[in-house]
């Protein structure tokens, strides 16, 4: 009943292939964006912006990036943390070397640099597949982190090896640095993520996206029908790394403000983002957001529930929360191996038939 | 479960109506994660002292202390979450003690913007010692760069004078992170001046894997080994040093590498291991008796099972951190003539902090540490450090040297240089301190 499509006729190919062909979906997304852009900045507080929403959006961005590579093109990667570090360090070097450069330009350039690095580490993907490729990208993860920790040029010869984002402005409004209004940084992140999420949604329906899926589903068959495997895989690596690089840049410059490479971009970040897309749903842009919410927001919610709501000791609450998260991940993967996005889809199908299921 | 929830709800309703002024002090603890064994004693010492003030004295000058614990797991992102969550609690947080170099770097710009003092005792950003640039950050009583010069002074004393350092080989085994890298520049500076050769040996997080490092030490046989380690890295290092029969009294850790956790696992082999310290170990001080009586016996301790471990090195470190913080709050109250201290007043209190020997005696800590005196320009006070040595048979740490002052002619120009760079990068005009 809620998804009754009766009466929605498509009279052109364009309408039939629209981004969101069902009217209800379209209104839902528009409404959600309006709330996120107009209502949330007024009702939120610093804690919402700095501790919940901004990191959630940044991780969603990284998850979209990994989903393009792993979910759509089928190339398993464990190098996410390393690529995020490339984005962050590129931003740092550009911001300190060219202070007058616009932050958007810096981010796009950082994404480009990360894309180049991603392509470099994607070259072996023609010959090696699956778990073997995962090990190759794992090498990228360790090499990049080691490099940024070892060579002082990357952190401008700072005594402690930390990188710190200098304050920067855009149209006279401060975007980075601690004096930046949290609502503004949230809006900036939201704009970037919205633009790139819509681009990704379009991209996976395009020729490039369909070739990725063909490679993922059966690479030999794809090759026979005329898709060039190396080019397709490398574009997936490039675009995925571009997204992940921008996520790293946002993480460092907008959210944290300073970072230590081993801690902020370690191997656990690679796993975290991989879990996000597995829980959220492989090959789904929506799933990237759901997975990021599950892995980022649920632990904080549980922690606050246990400590403030139930009065547990902080250390005990943390242990309970870690255990519970593990149990929930296993539970979700047993109940729905295709992730939260699939649950959402099933929900929509049920709503379409409601109240008369068959 | 519903009963529990209901109880919490009712309690929070009543808490809302009680409007007495409370001093909100968030404690960013880590009782979980890879460094938990070190984080727990510190967190307990820090909390127990404030609980003691509440139980014995009714708070500070009549204002009750509201401790707000938050778990960081030594993770910077969780640390930021904790900061955002607690900063507006009650009347607003009045002081932060993040106990992590990573979180400190993250919070320096934030506390400066939010105008809340941050106290990083013996860690954090060294150049924050320059109060002209870092208004809101304090690292009383000393910094890693001071520590490096003190370790070298101790070595020189053992060798028979500063001129005997020439030609000696000194190795630094360090945690390959912001924290571990801190002393390198100072040690290199002194290498130029005193003529020893420095060998750098990084150990990656968390530090269980050190075989290659100690193989190198066995081959090169440095005359002295310094260590900047934390957590499991320390105990592994002590065990490895013992296994290559490196002379333990030539092996000196920084103050974070000298607790019971680090030496007990190595057993008798750790006998003679040294570390820097800026306070004594043990629970023979009158203050500890009060803590046992008012906090543990009254069942008010945050971690009741900890009773037997009161007086461990890291417990005492948490304790002295809390003592200096409380004294800063008291000083701020005195300056502004009120018992409702705000964050800005506590900052003034830190800037005029003066805990001398007489005050230490009043606090029940005679002989526990030395006097500290902070000023507007110098946020690290007149810090000193001594060397403590582990006695494996008696299972206790003993102070075996005098308290050395740092070599300011080496450290301070570096502090000036680094803080100047920070000020330029962030568009800060250093204030004058006259």
């Amino acid at each position: 009943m809620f998804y009754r499509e009766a009466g929605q006729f498509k009279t052109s190919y364009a309408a039939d292939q629209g981004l969101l062909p069902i009217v209800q979906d379209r209104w839902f997304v528009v409404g959600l964006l309006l709330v996120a852009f107009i209502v949330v900045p007024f009702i939120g507080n610093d804690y919402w912006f700095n501790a919940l929403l901004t990191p959630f959006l940044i991780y969603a961005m990284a998850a979209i990036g990994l989903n393009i590579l792993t979910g759509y093109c089928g190339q398993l990667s464990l190098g996410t943390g390393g690529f995020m570090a490339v984005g962050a360090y590129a931003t740092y070097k550009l911001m300190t070397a060219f202070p007058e450069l616009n932050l958007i330009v810096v981010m796009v350039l950082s994404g480009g640099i990360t894309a180049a690095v991603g392509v470099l580490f994607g070259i072996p993907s023609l010959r090696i597949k699956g778990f073997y490729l995962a090990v190759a990208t794992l090498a990228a993860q360790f090499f990049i982190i080691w490099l940024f920790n070892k060579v002082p040029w990357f952190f401008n010869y700072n005594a402690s090896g930390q990188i710190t984002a200098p304050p920067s402005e855009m149209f006279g409004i401060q975007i980075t640095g601690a004096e930046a209004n949290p609502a503004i940084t949230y809006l900036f992140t939201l704009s970037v993520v919205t633009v790139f999420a819509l681009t990704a949604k379009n991209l996976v329906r395009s020729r490039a996206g369909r070739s990725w899926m063909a490679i993922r589903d059966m690479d030999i068959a794809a090759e026979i029908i005329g898709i060039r495997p190396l080019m397709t895989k490398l574009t997936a690596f490039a675009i995925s790394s571009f997204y992940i690089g921008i996520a790293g840049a946002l993480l460092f410059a907008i959210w944290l403000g300073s970072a230590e490479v081993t801690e902020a971009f370690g191997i656990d970040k690679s796993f975290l983002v991989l879990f996000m897309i597995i829980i959220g749903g492989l090959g789904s842009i929506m799933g990237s957001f759901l997975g990021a919410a599950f892995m980022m927001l649920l632990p904080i919610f549980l922690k606050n529930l246990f400590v403030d709501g139930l009065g547990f000791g902080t250390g005990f609450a943390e242990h309970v929360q870690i255990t519970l998260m593990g149990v929930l991940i296993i539970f979700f993967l047993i109940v729905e191996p295709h992730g939260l996005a699939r649950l959402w889809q099933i929900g929509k199908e049920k709503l379409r038939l409601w109240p008369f299921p068959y | 479960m519903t009963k529990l929830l209901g109880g919490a709800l009712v309690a929070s309703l009543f808490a809302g109506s009680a409007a007495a002024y409370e001093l909100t002090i968030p404690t960013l603890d880590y009782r979980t994660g890879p460094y938990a064994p070190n984080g727990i004693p510190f967190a307990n010492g820090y909390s127990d002292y404030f609980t003691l003030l509440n139980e014995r004295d009714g708070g500070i000058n009549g204002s009750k202390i509201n401790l707000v614990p938050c778990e960081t797991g030594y993770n910077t992102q969780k640390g930021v979450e904790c900061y955002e969550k607690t900063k507006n609690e009650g009347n607003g947080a009045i002081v932060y003690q993040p106990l992590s170099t990573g979180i400190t770097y993250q919070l320096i710009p934030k506390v400066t913007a939010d105008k809340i003092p941050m106290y990083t005792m013996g860690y954090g950003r060294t150049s924050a010692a320059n109060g002209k640039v870092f208004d809101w950050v304090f690292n009383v009583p000393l910094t890693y760069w001071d520590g490096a010069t003190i370790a070298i002074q101790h070595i020189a004393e053992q060798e028979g004078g500063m001129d005997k350092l020439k030609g000696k080989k000194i190795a630094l085994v360090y945690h390959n992170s912001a924290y571990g890298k801190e002393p390198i520049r100072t040690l290199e500076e002194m290498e130029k001046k005193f003529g020893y050769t420095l060998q750098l040996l990084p150990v990656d997080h968390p530090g269980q894997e050190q075989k290659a490092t100690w193989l190198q030490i066995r081959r090169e046989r440095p005359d002295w080994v310094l260590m900047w380690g934390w957590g499991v890295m320390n105990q592994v290092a002590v065990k490895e040093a013992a296994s290559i029969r490196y002379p333990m009294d030539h092996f000196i850790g920084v103050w974070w590498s000298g607790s019971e956790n680090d030496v007990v696992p190595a057993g008798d082999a750790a006998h003679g291991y040294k570390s820097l310290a800026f306070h004594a170990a043990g629970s023979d001080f009158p203050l500890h008796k009060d803590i046992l009586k008012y906090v543990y016996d009254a069942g008010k301790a945050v971690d009741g099972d900890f009773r037997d471990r009161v007086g461990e090195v890291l417990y005492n470190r948490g304790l002295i951190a809390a003592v200096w913080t409380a004294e800063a709050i008291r000083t701020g109250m005195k300056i502004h003539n009120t018992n409702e201290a705000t964050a800005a007043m506590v900052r003034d209190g830190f800037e005029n902090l003066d805990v001398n020997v007489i005050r230490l005696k009043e606090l029940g800590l005679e002989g526990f540490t030395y006097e500290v005196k902070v000023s507007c320009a110098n946020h690290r006070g007149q810090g000193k450090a001594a060397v403590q040595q582990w006695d494996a048979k008696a299972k206790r740490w003993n102070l075996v040297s005098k308290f050395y002052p740092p070599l300011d002619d080496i450290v301070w120009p570096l502090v000036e240089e680094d803080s100047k760079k920070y000020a330029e990068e962030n568009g800060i005009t250093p204030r004058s301190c006259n």
Side-chain angles (χ1 to χ4, degrees), chain B residues 160-204:
Chain B
M162 283 304 205
D163 50 324
K164 296 276 173 18
L165 285 172
K166 199 169 270 313
K168 290 273 179 289
K169 271 195 284 186
I170 298 175
L172 172 69
V173 178
Y174 66 98
H175 192 259
N176 199 0
S177 65
Y179 151 63
K181 285 178 190 162
E182 280 278 355
I184 293 175
R185 189 173 291 178
T186 324
L187 288 170
E188 283 172 347
E189 204 72 19
M190 286 187 288
E191 183 182 18
K192 279 182 240 157
K193 193 169 173 188
F194 300 125
Y196 59 80
T197 35
L198 180 66
Q199 193 184 5
L200 297 176
L201 301 166
V203 173
D204 280 325

Side-chain angles (χ1 to χ4, degrees), chain B residues 116-128:
Chain B
I116 302 171
M118 177 161 65
Y119 179 27
T120 60
M121 185 187 66
Y123 61 91
R125 186 173 188 128
T126 295
S127 55

Side-chain angles (χ1 to χ4, degrees), chain A residues 54-93:
Chain A
T54 307
F56 156 67
L57 288 169
I58 292 169
Y59 278 110
M61 180 85 178
I64 293 171
L66 187 64
N67 226 334
I68 288 174
L69 187 67
T70 304
Y72 285 99
C73 196
Q75 310 296 308
L76 189 55
S77 165
L78 287 175
T80 319
F83 295 134
M84 282 172 92
V86 174
Y89 274 72
T91 305
Y92 174 66
K93 287 304 285 185

Side-chain angles (χ1 to χ4, degrees), chain A:
Chain A
M1 127 144 227
F2 292 102
Y3 272 92
R4 192 176 291 156
E5 291 170 73
Q8 295 183 27
F9 303 111
K10 282 116 189 168
T11 50
S12 66
Y13 285 116
D16 196 36
Q17 294 179 348
L19 201 57
L20 298 160
I22 304 169
V23 174
Q24 288 92 334
D25 275 354
R26 211 148 50 221
W27 283 114
F28 176 73
V29 170
V30 169
L32 195 69
L33 284 177
L34 282 177
V35 169
F37 271 101
I38 296 169
V39 181
V40 173
F42 289 101
I43 60 165
N45 56 27
D46 285 11
Y47 179 64
W48 280 34
F49 296 131
N50 286 339
L52 303 174
L53 294 174
T54 307
F56 156 67
L57 288 169
I58 292 169
Y59 278 110
M61 180 85 178
I64 293 171
L66 187 64
N67 226 334
I68 288 174
L69 187 67
T70 304
Y72 285 99
C73 196
Q75 310 296 308
L76 189 55
S77 165
L78 287 175
T80 319
F83 295 134
M84 282 172 92
V86 174
Y89 274 72
T91 305
Y92 174 66
K93 287 304 285 185
L94 289 168
M95 278 176 101
T96 49
F98 309 104
E100 62 286 344
L101 214 57
N102 188 300
L103 193 62
I104 295 278
V105 179
V106 169
M107 295 234 161
V108 172
L109 284 176
S110 309
I113 293 169
T114 318
V117 175
V119 168
L120 196 69
F121 284 102
I123 291 171
S125 64
L126 184 67
R127 293 293 174 89
I128 51 179
K129 286 176 191 147
F131 290 121
Y132 305 94
L133 183 66
V135 175
T137 51
L138 194 63
Q141 162 79 40
F142 285 119
F143 172 74
I144 290 167
I145 299 302
W146 173 84
L147 185 74
F148 288 158
N149 203 15
K150 178 80 184 168
V151 182
W153 179 80
F154 286 111
F155 45 85
N156 286 1
Y157 304 93
N158 185 309
S160 59
Q162 293 246 0
I163 56 170
T164 309
S168 73
E169 290 185 347
M170 203 185 297
F171 314 117
I173 304 166
Q174 190 169 355
I175 304 284
T176 64
E179 278 95 26
N181 185 339
I184 301 286
T185 57
Y186 158 76
L187 278 176
F188 179 83
T189 316
L190 182 66
S191 317
V192 173
V193 175
T194 308
V195 168
F196 281 103
L198 288 175
T199 312
K201 184 85 186 158
N202 267 313
L203 206 60
V204 296
R205 303 181 310 141
S206 71
R207 184 171 183 276
R210 281 177 287 121
S211 340
W212 293 338
M213 286 184 266
I215 289 283
R216 172 191 67 189
D217 292 340
M218 197 173 183
D219 52 353
I220 293 172
E223 207 174 341
I224 287 169
I225 59 168
I227 292 167
R228 292 159 64 195
L230 184 65
M231 279 315 291
T232 311
K233 285 177 181 175
L234 287 189
T235 50
F237 263 98
I239 291 168
S240 154
S241 306
F242 185 88
Y243 274 75
I244 293 170
I246 288 189
L250 289 168
L251 181 94
F252 156 68
I254 303 291
W255 180 36
L256 289 178
S258 75
E260 186 183 335
V261 68
T262 47
E263 216 238 337
F265 304 108
I267 178 76
D268 49 331
K269 280 288 175 310
S270 299
F271 286 124
L272 182 71
V273 180
L274 188 64
F275 294 159
M276 280 175 187
I277 65 168
I278 292 174
I279 295 285
L282 289 164
S284 159
I285 301 297
M286 166 103 180
S288 308
F289 283 94
L290 294 177
F294 186 89
M295 296 297 293
M296 267 303 296
L297 303 182
L298 197 60
I300 297 176
F301 169 75
L302 290 175
K303 177 181 126 168
N304 288 346
L305 174 75
F306 291 147
V307 175
D308 302 341
L310 303 179
F312 288 6
T314 49
F316 180 63
E318 184 78 5
H319 285 131
V320 173
Q321 175 252 310
I322 293 169
T323 317
L324 200 61
M325 277 304 288
V327 171
L328 279 175
I329 289 172
I330 295 169
F331 173 77
F332 268 107
L333 290 183
I334 290 172
V335 172
E336 185 48 75
H338 297 290
L340 298 171
R342 177 76 188 131
L343 280 180
W344 174 251
Q345 215 175 357
I346 292 171
K348 281 205 305 194
E349 274 161 24
K350 296 253 190 254
L351 284 175
R352 189 171 287 159
L353 300 173
W354 191 85
F356 302 115
Y358 48 81

